[in-house]
Amino acid sequence: MRSRVISAGEVISAGEVVSAAGVVSAVGGESARWSSAVEGDRRRWVGMMSVMTAPGLQAFNALDAAAARRALLECCASMAWATRVAAGRPYPDAASLFAAAHAAVHDLDPAGLTEALAGHPRIGERPAGPAHRASRREQAGVAGADRRVLDAIAAGNAAYEQRFGHVYLVCATGRSAPELLVILQSRLANDPATEDRVTRTELAKINRIRLDRMLSDA
C-alpha cells in the first residue's frame, strides 16, 4: 500500500480517511473481538460503580452551589451544564443524577456544546496537566498504537473538523485506536444534524463515566 506524508494544516478528503482505515486490518485482526469483550467489562464496571456511589452522592448534595459547579466542571467543561445539574440537587439516588446530567447535555445550546467540547483533546493527543487527566485515562487504549493508525486518526481529525467545525468526540473508554479510527471514518458520512445528536450522545456517555468516578472519589 502506497502512503504519503500529511503536512501540518493540509486538508484531506473524507475518501482519504476511508482509505486510511484500511490499516486497521494490518495491525491486528483481533481488534473487533477484543473491543467487544472490553465493552462488556466496561458495562459491568459502570454498573458496579453505580451501586457504590451512595456516600459520594450525599457529599455532593451537601456542597454549596459554587463547589458543586466546580466538581461538575471536572466532568464536563460547559458551565451551563454544570449550573443546571448543580441546581437539581439534592438527588435521591445516583440514577436521578445521571438522568439529569443526560438531559442537560441534550438541552445544551450550540454555545454550551462548544464550551463542553473545548474541554476534550483530539483523539490521539495526550496533553499534559491535571485538566486532561480524565482524557488521558479514557484514551489509554490509544497509547502505544501503531504509528500508521495514529497518523490516520490525525488525518481523520482534520477532515472531521473541516466538515463539522468541532473536535471529533467519542467515548474512548475501553476502545482501541483501530476501533476509534473505524468509528471516525463512519461518522464522516453523517449529515450535520445526525452528527450533532451522535456527539451529544457520546458526551453524555463520557459525563456518566466521570460522574461515577466523582462520586466514588468523594
Side-chain angles (χ1 to χ4, degrees), residues 34 126 136-145 172 174-178 180:
W34 177 86
R126 295 174 63 81
R136 289 195 299 273
R137 180 172 57 245
E138 292 154 5
Q139 291 197 42
V142 179
R175 286 175 167 153
S176 67
L180 293 170

Side-chain angles (χ1 to χ4, degrees), residues 129-207:
H132 295 291
R133 185 181 299 113
S135 292
R136 289 195 299 273
R137 180 172 57 245
E138 292 154 5
Q139 291 197 42
V142 179
D146 185 276
R147 184 72 255 171
R148 292 170 297 171
V149 177
L150 294 177
D151 288 345
I153 289 174
N157 282 336
Y160 180 97
E161 290 174 24
Q162 181 190 29
R163 176 163 172 73
F164 297 112
H166 59 75
V167 69
Y168 159 55
L169 185 72
V170 61
C171 183
T173 299
R175 286 175 167 153
S176 67
E179 184 180 1
L180 293 170
L181 175 59
V182 170
I183 295 169
L184 170 56
Q185 171 255 312
S186 68
R187 284 173 56 181
L188 278 167
N190 287 343
D191 61 79
T194 298
E195 186 56 25
D196 180 80
R197 291 193 296 272
V198 172
T199 297
R200 290 171 187 268
T201 297
E202 295 299 308
L203 178 60
K205 291 177 186 177
I206 295 167
N207 290 354

Side-chain angles (χ1 to χ4, degrees), residues 40-214:
D41 289 341
R42 176 175 58 172
R43 289 177 179 175
R44 287 191 292 275
W45 174 81
V46 169
M48 288 188 295
M49 288 296 294
S50 297
V51 173
M52 299 166 57
T53 54
L57 180 61
Q58 293 170 11
F60 174 66
N61 281 335
L63 294 174
D64 64 51
R69 287 193 298 270
R70 287 195 297 271
L72 290 165
L73 287 170
E74 294 292 320
C75 301
C76 178
S78 168
M79 179 58 76
W81 178 87
T83 299
R84 172 168 163 174
V85 176
R89 296 172 305 142
Y91 293 100
D93 49 47
S96 299
L97 169 61
F98 299 149
H102 181 90
V105 164
H106 287 277
D107 289 344
L108 283 174
D109 63 18
L113 181 60
T114 296
E115 189 175 30
L117 295 178
H120 293 271
R122 295 180 179 93
I123 295 296
E125 296 182 356
R126 295 174 63 81
H132 295 291
R133 185 181 299 113
S135 292
R136 289 195 299 273
R137 180 172 57 245
E138 292 154 5
Q139 291 197 42
V142 179
D146 185 276
R147 184 72 255 171
R148 292 170 297 171
V149 177
L150 294 177
D151 288 345
I153 289 174
N157 282 336
Y160 180 97
E161 290 174 24
Q162 181 190 29
R163 176 163 172 73
F164 297 112
H166 59 75
V167 69
Y168 159 55
L169 185 72
V170 61
C171 183
T173 299
R175 286 175 167 153
S176 67
E179 184 180 1
L180 293 170
L181 175 59
V182 170
I183 295 169
L184 170 56
Q185 171 255 312
S186 68
R187 284 173 56 181
L188 278 167
N190 287 343
D191 61 79
T194 298
E195 186 56 25
D196 180 80
R197 291 193 296 272
V198 172
T199 297
R200 290 171 187 268
T201 297
E202 295 299 308
L203 178 60
K205 291 177 186 177
I206 295 167
N207 290 354
R208 165 64 185 269
I209 292 171
R210 293 182 178 185
L211 284 168
D212 256 326
R213 184 172 289 274
M214 178 191 78

